[in-house]
Amino acid sequence: MRVTISPATEGNPTENVGTAFELGPDGTTFAKPVELTLSFDPAALPDPEHPELLRIAVAVNGEWEPLDDS
């Protein structure tokens, strides 16, 4: 199976720091946990002194929900 990542074509909220991405194929599950590493520009944060406030979110039924422990 090939895992894909591409910039999202819709649903990218204006308050995002960076680009929203679509991971595929949709519904993919893994037998063991996987790690995904993302980078960001701290200067783009609303409060660059506190990057720990940054969260990763997923779209669920059209709404953005932060991932636990992100």
Side-chain angles (χ1 to χ4, degrees), residues 9-37:
T9 56
E10 55 186 60
N12 195 1
T14 57
E15 66 272 8
N16 270 12
V17 175
T19 302
F21 290 94
E22 292 183 21
L23 304 175
D26 193 31
T28 299
T29 59
F30 298 92
K32 295 181 181 181
V34 296
E35 183 175 307
L36 178 64
T37 302

Side-chain angles (χ1 to χ4, degrees), residues 2-3 6 8 10-12 14 16 20 24 26 32 34-36 39 41 44 51-52 55-57 60 65 67:
R2 173 177 260 178
V3 176
S6 59
E10 55 186 60
N12 195 1
T14 57
N16 270 12
D26 193 31
K32 295 181 181 181
V34 296
E35 183 175 307
L36 178 64
S39 61
D41 178 3
E52 72 277 6
R55 296 288 180 264
I56 304 299
V60 177
E65 294 185 11
L67 290 177

Side-chain angles (χ1 to χ4, degrees), residues 44-62:
L45 298 176
D47 188 351
E49 297 297 317
H50 295 282
E52 72 277 6
L53 298 176
L54 183 65
R55 296 288 180 264
I56 304 299
V58 295
V60 177
N61 297 322

